[in-house]
Amino acid sequence: MINSLRKNIKGIVIEGITLFSAILIVTIVVVMLTVIFIGGKDQLSWEFLTSFPTDGMTKGGIFPALYGTALLVIIMSIAAVPFGTITAIYLTEYAKENSIIAKTIRFAVRTLAVIPSIIYGLFGLGFFIKFVGTHIDGAFFGGELKWGQPNLLWASLTMALLTLPVVIVSVEEALKTVPQELRAASLALGATKWQTIWKVVLPGSLSGIMTGTILAVSRGAGEVAPILFTGAAYYLATLPGLGDQFMVLGYHIYVLTTQSANVDQTLPIQFGTTCVLLLLTFTLNMSAVILRYRIRKKKNS
Amino acid sequence: MGRKKNKGKSSNYSDSESHDSGLIDITRKKFRLGDYVAEKVIKGVAFLSITIIVLIFTFVFREAFPIFNSSNGEKKEAAVQTVKDSQETYGSVTDQTPVAQTQETYGSVVDTSAKEGVQETYGEVTDKQQVQEQYGVQTSQDQDTISASKSTYTVNAGSGTDDNRSAIKTLITKDWVPVSDKPRYGILALIIGTFKITLISMLFAAPLAILAALYTAVFATKKMKEIIKPTIELLAGFPSVVIGFFALMVLATFLQNFFHYETRLNSFVGGIAMGIAAIPIIFTITEDALTAVPKSFYEASLALGASKWQTAFFVILPAATPGIFAAILLGIGRVFGETMIALMATGNAALMTLNPFDSVRTLAATIGAEMAEVVFGDTHYNVLFLIGSMLFIFTFVINAIAEFYVKGKLMKRIQGK
Amino acid sequence: MILEKIHTENMYLYYSGKMALKDISIQIPEKKVTAFIGPSGCGKSTFLRSLNRMNDLIDGVKIEGKVMIDAINIYDKNIDVVNLRKKVGMVFQKSNPFAKSIYENIAYGPKINGINNKNQLDEIVETALKNAAIWDEVKDRLGDSALGLSGGQQQRLCIARTLAVNPEIVLMDEPASALDPLSTAKIEELIVQLKEKYTIVIVTHNMQQAARISDNTAFFYLGELIEYDKTKKIFTNPERKQTEDYITGRFG
């Protein structure tokens, strides 16, 4: 009797500890959200989003940072989504599940996913800027320094490499939800493999490609380390083009909090910018989650 | 690109085919350009991810490599005059000579066989013998001129060769003073700092995430699961700069008021913040491993009269150990290379202490903070790439262990020993 | 000797090294309905799928012996599998319409064959739907999603889709097994009509169905072809004991 009671208490305590851990994590998230939203909500206005920083970045808005972030993720998606999708098609449609090639590619994809983002920054610098860029300058501009320096294009491509695994994994999952019977039906009608993929498999996994794109964009919008020295700029008075450095939300937060001369004075802007970035990534992530939920539901029905 | 072409082609070739089936010829394999091109393109692109890894290896290491060569390079002090050109390649890139070529040859100085490989890869150099000799000279000279010409950034009294040589010597010390009269590149303090912060973050995140995963997998009601899982997913979507910001602005103050330590930003704050960033990884993988444990284990244990928590701790948790191990490994990998949080919340002082309440500087943060200001081709620049290579190797190995060792073990365990 | 439409000789099929079909030799006549019967797992579906090389999609399948269609071995090196499947169509056990409109489902095959002329496509779609005896039910809603049709309609749509490619042989893998009796009756009726134009091979686990619609019946058991004869003979006076046992319901 007593023994079992003790056992019960022990059980309750242990279950309590696990419950406490779960609640603590949820609390941390809620606190972070609350603090940032409360700190930033007064800043959020149309004006904040659409005007340039003024007074040595202590006042004004974040428009150039928003603009730079948008350009960054667009160029990044243009590079990452097709390549990611094609890789996923190879893995699901062409490669044999247990072939060495497929296994190696999968391992490579997972490795890409865990490489620290700062390494991508180094790679962007070493490869895109110092190797590709310098060669382009040498070949087309007579050695004049044009592409051999940090800019939007190189930063976007660096970010594309970083987000490639995100796209691959999402698209692969979506391709797998297309029933095997549909592929069989198409092939039995005399369609070639590629016709089957193009007309049956891909249309059936469009929402998965969308999910992958959104997740990649969300990731790319928030990452700072890869662009620290491949293109991000402290302050620019004009909007950037492909060959220019650019302002970006995450980097803006970083420089305002650590590099600015008067951190306290810019505190509202810091909270405001963080709030905007968080809202942006959340909206994207939520839509991806909803899309993915729909795909899974479709699969199970 | 391949696709469009394809679509057109696929209808083209079949136009010639009659719809009347009686005439379909099956005895000869038809060449279908569309399918052929599509397959080749897809296969080619699929190798991209492997290529990228190889490229990362190559290019990150390449920029780090000169450090090890310079100690040999000192012998070739002569022929100072010949160098004018290559010097420019580094500094301002006005010369036609591609940088790559110059750098390749660093390899060649140290090891002729290595040079073979490098040359093949870039296929630039035509006359090996000559080039090797010439660049061997340039190597030492390069460093010299650069450090001199860029003295605005790096006040450097010694010659480039000296600099590089001493760089190697100072590598295994604790002084990280890259910008000074006598630059020292001791990375010991950085390494210790990184491990310290990794340890702190894991001590915080691992138990929390694993226990929470255990709760979610075993005890939680459906409703609780629907709260916990999306929250974790939400946390996974937090950009690390946002977590860094939170740590810097809120957490640091809160913890200082609570524990009353001296330095506001230190490895403890940074470790906790990084732990927050690592929680989603550890949680997700652990939860996957726990739910992968067959239901029969669970039922058998309950049938033997064990209670729910006993089953959870003595049956399910042990069965999922390899998966949890992988979760922790990947969590470590995440923290080890984390840059933004380290930059913002750790104080960034390269102190070699074991006190968790001292400021600390991690390897990744060092790269992040200094790379933007460094002179391309400088020793400092090379050392930063060397640090990058170390980070890369570390995470690569960790991932490989998690992937092969752990997965194999987990499979064995679940599918019956 | 005159070869029939389909003709196999000493055909063996291995699945990952394990023998799944053993020494199958059979002659299937043109414009007749041939039924394959036998207990589940006896290899009848596997055999059917090897007649248009759908087994190629499965890793580790190896085939020995001859599988001839119109006196051509379809496992020859030079065979164009894509064209083979245009010639030998297939209807699957589970109806599998594409998530497209009814019209687009039927037009899929012709379009792949390069027919893009709207009038021609309209005509093919109408003919195919009429041949599959579903035209009257869907003619007013060709633009609707095929997934909105009932199970029986979906299956007839799939038959129509196969017919639209104008094959010579139609393989059917238990096409009515998932349908209600009424839909099944419609499909059976349809099959009997179709044999005027097409050679039909149907796998069924329903012996009454085989008896009702087929001209010839083959009985498979444990990967072997036990008996093959006129349907009437198989069901009234089988040669082999195993066949008789199966038909009289003593096992399976």
Coordinates of all heavy atoms in Angstrom, one line a residue, chain B residues 221-290:
Chain B
T221 N -1.5 15.0 -23.3 CA -2.8 14.8 -24.0 C -2.7 15.4 -25.4 O -1.8 16.2 -25.7 CB -3.9 15.5 -23.3 OG1 -3.6 16.9 -23.2 CG2 -4.1 15.0 -21.9
K222 N -3.7 15.1 -26.2 CA -3.7 15.6 -27.6 C -3.7 17.1 -27.6 O -3.0 17.8 -28.4 CB -4.9 15.1 -28.3 CG -4.6 14.8 -29.8 CD -5.8 14.3 -30.5 CE -5.6 14.5 -32.0 NZ -6.9 14.6 -32.7
K223 N -4.4 17.7 -26.7 CA -4.5 19.1 -26.6 C -3.2 19.8 -26.3 O -2.8 20.8 -26.9 CB -5.6 19.5 -25.6 CG -6.4 20.7 -26.0 CD -7.6 20.9 -25.0 CE -8.3 22.2 -25.4 NZ -9.4 22.5 -24.5
M224 N -2.5 19.2 -25.3 CA -1.2 19.8 -24.9 C -0.2 19.7 -26.1 O 0.5 20.6 -26.3 CB -0.6 19.0 -23.7 CG -1.2 19.4 -22.4 SD -1.0 21.2 -22.1 CE 0.7 21.2 -21.4
K225 N -0.3 18.5 -26.8 CA 0.6 18.4 -28.0 C 0.3 19.5 -28.9 O 1.3 20.0 -29.5 CB 0.3 17.1 -28.6 CG 1.1 15.9 -28.1 CD 0.9 14.7 -28.9 CE 1.2 13.4 -28.1 NZ 0.8 12.2 -28.7
E226 N -0.9 19.9 -29.1 CA -1.3 20.9 -30.1 C -0.8 22.3 -29.7 O -0.8 23.2 -30.5 CB -2.8 20.9 -30.4 CG -3.1 19.8 -31.4 CD -4.6 19.6 -31.5 OE1 -5.4 20.4 -30.9 OE2 -5.0 18.6 -32.1
I227 N -0.5 22.4 -28.4 CA 0.1 23.7 -28.0 C 1.6 23.6 -28.1 O 2.3 24.5 -28.6 CB -0.2 24.0 -26.5 CG1 -1.8 24.2 -26.4 CG2 0.5 25.2 -26.0 CD1 -2.2 24.3 -24.9
I228 N 2.2 22.5 -27.6 CA 3.7 22.4 -27.5 C 4.3 22.4 -28.9 O 5.3 23.2 -29.2 CB 4.1 21.2 -26.7 CG1 3.6 21.4 -25.2 CG2 5.6 21.1 -26.6 CD1 3.7 20.2 -24.4
K229 N 3.8 21.5 -29.7 CA 4.5 21.3 -31.0 C 4.6 22.6 -31.9 O 5.6 22.9 -32.4 CB 4.0 20.1 -31.7 CG 4.4 18.8 -31.1 CD 3.8 17.6 -31.9 CE 4.8 16.6 -32.3 NZ 4.3 15.6 -33.1
P230 N 3.4 23.2 -32.1 CA 3.5 24.5 -32.9 C 4.4 25.5 -32.2 O 5.1 26.3 -32.9 CB 2.1 24.9 -33.0 CG 1.3 23.7 -32.7 CD 2.0 22.9 -31.7
T231 N 4.4 25.6 -30.9 CA 5.3 26.6 -30.2 C 6.7 26.3 -30.6 O 7.5 27.2 -30.8 CB 5.1 26.5 -28.7 OG1 3.6 26.5 -28.5 CG2 5.7 27.7 -28.0
I232 N 7.1 25.0 -30.5 CA 8.5 24.7 -30.8 C 8.8 25.0 -32.3 O 9.9 25.5 -32.6 CB 8.7 23.2 -30.6 CG1 8.4 22.8 -29.1 CG2 10.1 22.8 -31.0 CD1 9.6 22.9 -28.2
E233 N 7.8 24.7 -33.1 CA 8.0 25.0 -34.5 C 8.2 26.6 -34.7 O 9.0 27.0 -35.5 CB 6.8 24.6 -35.4 CG 7.3 23.9 -36.6 CD 6.1 23.1 -37.3 OE1 5.6 22.2 -36.6 OE2 5.7 23.4 -38.4
L234 N 7.4 27.3 -33.9 CA 7.5 28.8 -34.0 C 8.9 29.2 -33.6 O 9.6 30.0 -34.2 CB 6.5 29.3 -33.0 CG 5.9 30.6 -33.3 CD1 5.0 30.5 -34.5 CD2 5.0 31.0 -32.1
L235 N 9.4 28.6 -32.5 CA 10.8 28.9 -32.0 C 11.8 28.6 -33.0 O 12.8 29.3 -33.2 CB 11.0 28.1 -30.7 CG 12.3 28.4 -30.0 CD1 12.5 29.9 -29.6 CD2 12.5 27.5 -28.7
A236 N 11.6 27.5 -33.7 CA 12.6 27.1 -34.7 C 12.7 28.2 -35.8 O 13.7 28.3 -36.5 CB 12.2 25.7 -35.4
G237 N 11.6 28.9 -36.0 CA 11.5 29.9 -37.0 C 12.1 31.2 -36.6 O 12.3 32.1 -37.4
F238 N 12.5 31.4 -35.3 CA 13.1 32.6 -34.9 C 14.4 32.8 -35.5 O 15.3 32.0 -35.4 CB 13.3 32.5 -33.3 CG 12.2 33.1 -32.5 CD1 11.0 32.5 -32.5 CD2 12.4 34.3 -31.8 CE1 10.0 33.0 -31.7 CE2 11.4 34.8 -31.0 CZ 10.2 34.2 -31.0
P239 N 14.6 33.9 -36.2 CA 16.0 34.2 -36.7 C 16.9 34.4 -35.5 O 16.5 34.9 -34.5 CB 15.8 35.6 -37.4 CG 14.4 35.7 -37.7 CD 13.7 35.0 -36.6
S240 N 18.2 33.9 -35.7 CA 19.1 33.9 -34.5 C 19.4 35.4 -34.1 O 19.7 35.6 -33.0 CB 20.3 33.1 -34.8 OG 21.0 33.6 -35.9
V241 N 19.3 36.3 -35.1 CA 19.6 37.7 -34.7 C 18.5 38.2 -33.7 O 18.7 39.0 -32.9 CB 19.7 38.6 -36.0 CG1 18.4 38.8 -36.7 CG2 20.3 39.9 -35.6
V242 N 17.3 37.7 -33.9 CA 16.2 38.1 -32.9 C 16.5 37.5 -31.5 O 16.3 38.2 -30.5 CB 14.8 37.6 -33.5 CG1 13.8 37.8 -32.5 CG2 14.5 38.3 -34.8
I243 N 16.9 36.2 -31.5 CA 17.2 35.7 -30.2 C 18.4 36.4 -29.6 O 18.4 36.7 -28.4 CB 17.5 34.2 -30.3 CG1 16.3 33.4 -30.8 CG2 18.0 33.6 -29.0 CD1 16.5 31.9 -31.1
G244 N 19.4 36.8 -30.4 CA 20.5 37.5 -30.0 C 20.1 38.9 -29.4 O 20.5 39.3 -28.3
F245 N 19.2 39.5 -30.1 CA 18.6 40.8 -29.7 C 17.9 40.7 -28.3 O 18.2 41.5 -27.4 CB 17.6 41.3 -30.7 CG 16.9 42.6 -30.3 CD1 17.6 43.8 -30.4 CD2 15.6 42.6 -29.9 CE1 17.0 45.0 -30.1 CE2 15.0 43.7 -29.6 CZ 15.7 44.9 -29.6
F246 N 17.1 39.6 -28.2 CA 16.4 39.4 -26.9 C 17.4 39.2 -25.8 O 17.2 39.7 -24.7 CB 15.5 38.2 -27.1 CG 14.8 37.8 -25.8 CD1 13.7 38.5 -25.4 CD2 15.2 36.7 -25.1 CE1 13.0 38.1 -24.2 CE2 14.6 36.3 -23.9 CZ 13.5 37.0 -23.5
A247 N 18.4 38.4 -26.1 CA 19.4 38.1 -25.1 C 20.1 39.3 -24.6 O 20.4 39.6 -23.4 CB 20.4 37.0 -25.6
L248 N 20.5 40.1 -25.6 CA 21.3 41.4 -25.3 C 20.4 42.4 -24.6 O 20.9 43.0 -23.6 CB 21.7 41.9 -26.7 CG 22.4 43.3 -26.7 CD1 23.7 43.2 -26.0 CD2 22.6 43.7 -28.2
M249 N 19.2 42.5 -25.0 CA 18.4 43.6 -24.4 C 17.6 43.2 -23.1 O 17.5 44.0 -22.2 CB 17.3 44.0 -25.4 CG 17.9 44.7 -26.6 SD 18.7 46.3 -26.1 CE 19.7 46.6 -27.5
V250 N 17.2 42.0 -23.1 CA 16.3 41.6 -22.0 C 16.9 40.6 -21.1 O 17.1 40.8 -19.9 CB 15.0 41.0 -22.5 CG1 14.0 40.8 -21.4 CG2 14.4 42.0 -23.5
L251 N 17.4 39.5 -21.7 CA 17.8 38.3 -20.9 C 19.1 38.7 -20.1 O 19.2 38.3 -18.9 CB 18.2 37.2 -21.9 CG 18.4 35.8 -21.2 CD1 17.1 35.3 -20.6 CD2 18.9 34.8 -22.3
A252 N 20.0 39.4 -20.7 CA 21.2 39.8 -20.0 C 20.9 40.6 -18.7 O 21.5 40.3 -17.6 CB 22.1 40.6 -20.9
T253 N 20.0 41.5 -18.8 CA 19.7 42.3 -17.6 C 19.0 41.5 -16.6 O 19.3 41.5 -15.4 CB 18.7 43.5 -18.1 OG1 19.3 44.1 -19.2 CG2 18.6 44.5 -17.0
F254 N 18.1 40.7 -17.1 CA 17.3 39.8 -16.2 C 18.2 38.9 -15.4 O 18.1 38.8 -14.2 CB 16.3 39.0 -17.0 CG 15.5 38.0 -16.2 CD1 14.5 38.4 -15.4 CD2 15.9 36.6 -16.3 CE1 13.8 37.4 -14.6 CE2 15.2 35.7 -15.6 CZ 14.2 36.1 -14.7
L255 N 19.1 38.2 -16.1 CA 20.0 37.3 -15.5 C 21.0 38.0 -14.5 O 21.3 37.4 -13.4 CB 20.8 36.4 -16.5 CG 19.9 35.4 -17.3 CD1 20.8 34.8 -18.4 CD2 19.3 34.4 -16.4
Q256 N 21.4 39.1 -14.9 CA 22.3 39.8 -14.0 C 21.7 40.2 -12.7 O 22.2 40.1 -11.6 CB 22.9 41.1 -14.7 CG 24.0 41.7 -14.0 CD 24.6 42.9 -14.7 OE1 23.9 43.6 -15.4 NE2 25.9 43.2 -14.6
N257 N 20.4 40.7 -12.8 CA 19.7 41.1 -11.6 C 19.5 39.8 -10.7 O 19.4 39.9 -9.5 CB 18.4 41.7 -12.0 CG 18.6 43.1 -12.6 OD1 19.6 43.7 -12.4 ND2 17.6 43.5 -13.3
F258 N 19.3 38.7 -11.4 CA 19.0 37.5 -10.6 C 20.2 36.9 -10.0 O 20.2 36.5 -8.8 CB 18.3 36.5 -11.6 CG 17.6 35.4 -10.9 CD1 16.3 35.7 -10.5 CD2 18.1 34.2 -10.7 CE1 15.6 34.7 -9.9 CE2 17.4 33.2 -10.1 CZ 16.1 33.4 -9.7
F259 N 21.3 36.8 -10.7 CA 22.5 36.2 -10.2 C 23.6 37.1 -9.7 O 24.5 36.7 -9.1 CB 23.2 35.3 -11.3 CG 22.3 34.1 -11.7 CD1 21.5 34.1 -12.8 CD2 22.3 32.9 -10.9 CE1 20.7 33.0 -13.1 CE2 21.6 31.8 -11.2 CZ 20.8 31.9 -12.3
H260 N 23.4 38.4 -9.9 CA 24.3 39.4 -9.4 C 25.8 39.2 -9.8 O 26.7 39.2 -9.0 CB 24.2 39.5 -7.9 CG 22.8 39.8 -7.4 ND1 22.2 41.1 -7.6 CD2 21.9 39.1 -6.8 CE1 21.0 41.0 -7.2 NE2 20.8 39.9 -6.7
Y261 N 26.0 38.9 -11.0 CA 27.4 38.8 -11.4 C 27.9 40.1 -12.0 O 27.0 41.1 -12.2 CB 27.7 37.7 -12.4 CG 26.6 37.6 -13.5 CD1 26.7 38.5 -14.6 CD2 25.7 36.6 -13.5 CE1 25.7 38.4 -15.6 CE2 24.7 36.5 -14.5 CZ 24.8 37.4 -15.6 OH 23.9 37.4 -16.6
E262 N 29.2 40.2 -12.4 CA 29.7 41.5 -12.7 C 29.5 42.0 -14.1 O 28.9 43.0 -14.4 CB 31.2 41.6 -12.3 CG 31.6 42.9 -11.7 CD 33.0 42.8 -11.2 OE1 33.3 42.1 -10.2 OE2 33.9 43.4 -11.9
T263 N 30.0 41.1 -15.0 CA 29.9 41.5 -16.5 C 28.5 41.2 -17.0 O 28.1 40.1 -16.8 CB 31.0 40.7 -17.3 OG1 31.9 40.1 -16.4 CG2 31.6 41.5 -18.4
R264 N 28.0 42.1 -17.6 CA 26.6 42.0 -18.1 C 26.5 40.9 -19.2 O 25.6 40.0 -19.2 CB 26.0 43.3 -18.6 CG 24.6 43.2 -18.9 CD 24.0 44.6 -19.1 NE 22.7 44.5 -19.7 CZ 22.5 44.5 -21.0 NH1 23.5 44.6 -21.8 NH2 21.2 44.4 -21.5
L265 N 27.4 41.0 -20.2 CA 27.4 40.0 -21.2 C 28.5 39.0 -21.0 O 29.7 39.4 -20.9 CB 27.6 40.7 -22.6 CG 26.5 41.7 -23.0 CD1 26.9 42.4 -24.3 CD2 25.2 41.0 -23.1
N266 N 28.1 37.8 -20.9 CA 29.1 36.7 -20.6 C 28.7 35.4 -21.2 O 27.7 35.3 -21.9 CB 29.3 36.6 -19.1 CG 28.0 36.4 -18.4 OD1 27.2 35.6 -18.9 ND2 27.8 37.1 -17.3
S267 N 29.5 34.4 -21.0 CA 29.3 33.1 -21.6 C 28.0 32.5 -21.1 O 27.3 31.7 -21.8 CB 30.4 32.2 -21.4 OG 30.8 32.1 -20.1
F268 N 27.6 32.9 -19.9 CA 26.4 32.3 -19.3 C 25.2 32.8 -20.1 O 24.3 32.0 -20.6 CB 26.3 32.7 -17.8 CG 25.0 32.2 -17.2 CD1 24.8 30.8 -17.0 CD2 24.1 33.1 -16.7 CE1 23.7 30.4 -16.4 CE2 22.9 32.6 -16.0 CZ 22.7 31.3 -15.9
V269 N 25.1 34.1 -20.3 CA 24.0 34.7 -21.1 C 24.0 34.1 -22.5 O 23.0 33.7 -23.0 CB 24.1 36.2 -21.1 CG1 23.0 36.8 -22.0 CG2 24.1 36.8 -19.7
G270 N 25.2 34.2 -23.1 CA 25.3 33.6 -24.5 C 24.9 32.2 -24.6 O 24.2 31.8 -25.5
G271 N 25.3 31.4 -23.5 CA 25.0 30.0 -23.5 C 23.5 29.7 -23.5 O 22.9 28.9 -24.2
I272 N 22.8 30.5 -22.6 CA 21.4 30.3 -22.4 C 20.7 30.7 -23.8 O 19.8 30.0 -24.2 CB 20.9 31.2 -21.3 CG1 21.5 30.9 -20.0 CG2 19.3 31.1 -21.2 CD1 21.0 29.6 -19.3
A273 N 21.1 31.8 -24.3 CA 20.5 32.3 -25.6 C 20.7 31.2 -26.7 O 19.8 30.9 -27.4 CB 21.1 33.6 -26.0
M274 N 21.9 30.7 -26.8 CA 22.1 29.7 -27.8 C 21.4 28.4 -27.5 O 20.9 27.7 -28.4 CB 23.6 29.4 -27.9 CG 24.4 30.5 -28.5 SD 26.0 29.9 -28.9 CE 26.8 31.4 -29.3
G275 N 21.2 28.1 -26.2 CA 20.4 27.0 -25.8 C 19.0 27.1 -26.3 O 18.4 26.2 -26.8
I276 N 18.5 28.3 -26.2 CA 17.1 28.6 -26.7 C 17.1 28.3 -28.2 O 16.1 27.7 -28.7 CB 16.7 30.1 -26.4 CG1 16.6 30.3 -24.9 CG2 15.4 30.4 -27.2 CD1 16.2 31.7 -24.6
A277 N 18.1 28.7 -28.9 CA 18.1 28.4 -30.4 C 18.3 26.9 -30.7 O 17.8 26.5 -31.7 CB 19.3 29.2 -31.0
A278 N 18.9 26.2 -29.7 CA 19.1 24.8 -30.0 C 18.0 23.9 -29.6 O 17.8 22.7 -30.0 CB 20.4 24.3 -29.3
I279 N 17.1 24.4 -28.7 CA 16.0 23.6 -28.2 C 15.1 23.0 -29.3 O 14.9 21.8 -29.2 CB 15.1 24.5 -27.2 CG1 15.8 24.6 -25.9 CG2 13.7 23.9 -27.1 CD1 15.1 25.5 -24.9
P280 N 14.7 23.7 -30.3 CA 13.9 23.1 -31.3 C 14.5 21.9 -32.0 O 13.9 20.9 -32.2 CB 13.7 24.2 -32.4 CG 13.9 25.5 -31.6 CD 14.9 25.2 -30.6
I281 N 15.8 22.0 -32.3 CA 16.5 20.9 -32.9 C 16.5 19.6 -32.0 O 16.1 18.5 -32.4 CB 18.0 21.2 -33.3 CG1 18.0 22.3 -34.3 CG2 18.8 20.0 -33.7 CD1 19.4 22.8 -34.7
I282 N 16.9 19.8 -30.8 CA 17.0 18.7 -29.9 C 15.6 18.1 -29.6 O 15.4 16.9 -29.7 CB 17.7 19.1 -28.5 CG1 19.0 19.8 -28.8 CG2 17.8 17.9 -27.6 CD1 19.7 20.2 -27.6
F283 N 14.7 19.0 -29.4 CA 13.3 18.5 -29.2 C 12.8 17.7 -30.3 O 12.3 16.6 -30.1 CB 12.4 19.8 -28.9 CG 11.0 19.4 -28.7 CD1 10.5 19.2 -27.4 CD2 10.1 19.3 -29.8 CE1 9.2 18.8 -27.2 CE2 8.8 18.9 -29.6 CZ 8.3 18.7 -28.3
T284 N 12.9 18.3 -31.5 CA 12.3 17.6 -32.7 C 12.9 16.2 -32.9 O 12.1 15.2 -33.1 CB 12.5 18.4 -33.9 OG1 12.2 19.8 -33.6 CG2 11.6 18.0 -35.1
I285 N 14.2 16.1 -32.9 CA 14.8 14.8 -33.2 C 14.6 13.8 -32.0 O 14.3 12.7 -32.3 CB 16.3 15.0 -33.4 CG1 16.5 16.0 -34.6 CG2 17.0 13.7 -33.7 CD1 18.0 16.4 -34.8
T286 N 14.6 14.3 -30.8 CA 14.3 13.4 -29.7 C 12.9 12.9 -29.8 O 12.6 11.7 -29.6 CB 14.5 14.2 -28.3 OG1 15.8 14.7 -28.3 CG2 14.3 13.2 -27.2
E287 N 12.0 13.8 -30.1 CA 10.6 13.4 -30.1 C 10.4 12.4 -31.2 O 9.6 11.4 -31.1 CB 9.7 14.6 -30.4 CG 8.4 14.6 -29.6 CD 7.2 14.6 -30.6 OE1 7.4 14.3 -31.8 OE2 6.1 14.9 -30.1
D288 N 11.0 12.6 -32.4 CA 11.0 11.6 -33.4 C 11.4 10.3 -33.0 O 10.8 9.2 -33.2 CB 11.8 12.1 -34.6 CG 11.1 13.1 -35.5 OD1 9.9 13.4 -35.2 OD2 11.7 13.7 -36.4
A289 N 12.6 10.3 -32.3 CA 13.2 9.0 -31.8 C 12.3 8.3 -30.8 O 12.1 7.1 -30.9 CB 14.5 9.3 -31.2
L290 N 11.6 9.1 -29.9 CA 10.8 8.5 -28.9 C 9.5 7.9 -29.6 O 9.1 6.8 -29.2 CB 10.4 9.6 -27.9 CG 11.5 10.1 -26.9 CD1 11.0 11.2 -26.1 CD2 11.9 8.9 -26.1

